[in-house]
Amino acid sequence: MSRVIIACVNGTGRGHAAVEWAAHEASLRDLPLEVRYGSLPNDLSTTAMLVLDLSAAGDDITGLATGPAALAVTAASACPVVLIPDADVPVAAPARRVTQVTLGIDARHPAERALDFAFDAAQVRGVRLHAVHTWELPSCAAGLPFGVPEEDRATWEDHEVQLLADALRPWRVKYPRVPVLEDVVLLNPVEALIHHAEAAALLAVGRGASGTPGLVQALLREARCPVAVVP
């Protein structure tokens, strides 16, 4: 069966940003586009991607699980869900220079489908992939009376850099034409991803990690680009 990209908007006709983004994505991938008004399809088995406009992802879209609509969809969907910022945010403003796809990755437990999705998204757009792995100092660092020695911090950071390189290596082989910027950041994930997504056409995260609902909720409050949640 052929794959399809679905844009779901509410019954009032809002959600133009989601339809426009989904139409562009369908064109890039040479896939058909289906626009749904007021409800999700019962069967998403042939859906390559589900696109929702945040201004349209409210209670007037039926067929959703309980809880906040957008998060309910991302938690239940078997396909990637792309959430478009509120219509008041100029996603494609001329002054906004889009140069990359940003991927939030946990290099200790890399989400393979999210990696594949992000590399593919960068390839079809002809932009680089910016892979952002965040880390924190080990718990033992808090007990050091004179702070963390630079040598210890450098050793820990080198380990994180190696973890990220190892996680990305097979995907670099699969997508040799995609330039990759590897970024290891000593920050919390939300701050790091929001900062590094300023020039992004798309911000992608995997759904399986612990704390994902809270992370996605925070990203949706701050992001100025589409956010893809990949199961």
Side-chain angles (χ1 to χ4, degrees), residues 90-156:
V91 177
R96 191 168 179 274
R97 187 163 174 257
V98 172
T99 60
Q100 65 190 30
V101 168
T102 299
L103 169 67
I105 174 175
D106 178 356
R108 288 178 177 76
H109 307 286
E112 292 194 357
R113 285 189 67 185
L115 277 158
D116 198 18
F117 177 89
F119 267 89
D120 184 58
Q123 180 167 273
V124 299
R125 288 168 173 79
V127 298
R128 75 179 180 186
L129 176 68
H130 188 175
V132 180
H133 166 63
T134 62
W135 68 292
E136 57 185 23
L137 296 173
S139 56
C140 63
L144 297 174
F146 303 109
V148 178
E150 277 301 313
E151 184 177 342
D152 287 348
R153 173 172 168 156
T155 299
W156 293 329

Side-chain angles (χ1 to χ4, degrees), residues 173-191:
V173 172
K174 182 176 179 180
Y175 295 93
R177 291 182 294 161
V178 176
V180 180
L181 173 61
E182 300 182 11
D183 219 339
V184 173
V185 187
L186 187 60
L187 274 177
N188 75 65
V190 173
E191 286 183 68

Side-chain angles (χ1 to χ4, degrees), residues 72-96:
V73 174
T74 63
S77 176
C79 68
V81 177
V82 179
L83 300 157
I84 308 299
D86 188 274
D88 294 333
V89 177
V91 177
R96 191 168 179 274

Side-chain angles (χ1 to χ4, degrees), residues 1-227:
M1 300 177 71
S2 60
R3 306 282 281 170
V4 61
I5 291 177
I6 295 179
C8 188
V9 300
N10 67 15
T12 66
R14 296 182 68 189
H16 298 298
V19 174
E20 290 176 7
W21 192 92
H24 179 62
E25 189 74 12
S27 175
L28 286 174
R29 298 177 179 278
D30 195 24
L31 290 175
L33 171 66
E34 178 184 340
V35 179
R36 304 274 305 194
Y37 292 93
S39 66
L40 290 170
N42 293 325
D43 183 8
L44 293 174
S45 60
T46 62
T47 306
M49 192 180 303
L50 183 62
V51 182
L52 295 177
D53 193 295
L54 292 191
S55 64
D59 293 336
D60 50 355
I61 295 180
T62 60
L64 303 181
T66 57
L71 294 181
V73 174
T74 63
S77 176
C79 68
V81 177
V82 179
L83 300 157
I84 308 299
D86 188 274
D88 294 333
V89 177
V91 177
R96 191 168 179 274
R97 187 163 174 257
V98 172
T99 60
Q100 65 190 30
V101 168
T102 299
L103 169 67
I105 174 175
D106 178 356
R108 288 178 177 76
H109 307 286
E112 292 194 357
R113 285 189 67 185
L115 277 158
D116 198 18
F117 177 89
F119 267 89
D120 184 58
Q123 180 167 273
V124 299
R125 288 168 173 79
V127 298
R128 75 179 180 186
L129 176 68
H130 188 175
V132 180
H133 166 63
T134 62
W135 68 292
E136 57 185 23
L137 296 173
S139 56
C140 63
L144 297 174
F146 303 109
V148 178
E150 277 301 313
E151 184 177 342
D152 287 348
R153 173 172 168 156
T155 299
W156 293 329
E157 188 166 22
D158 286 346
H159 176 65
E160 302 296 327
V161 169
Q162 188 60 55
L163 285 174
L164 179 58
D166 291 344
L168 293 174
R169 187 173 297 113
W171 302 99
R172 282 178 172 271
V173 172
K174 182 176 179 180
Y175 295 93
R177 291 182 294 161
V178 176
V180 180
L181 173 61
E182 300 182 11
D183 219 339
V184 173
V185 187
L186 187 60
L187 274 177
N188 75 65
V190 173
E191 286 183 68
L193 291 176
I194 292 299
H195 173 71
H196 290 296
E198 289 180 357
L202 183 67
L203 170 58
V205 294
R207 187 179 71 195
S210 61
T212 299
L215 171 64
V216 172
Q217 229 171 356
L219 292 177
L220 294 180
R221 285 195 299 267
E222 302 291 336
R224 293 300 179 265
C225 70
V227 176

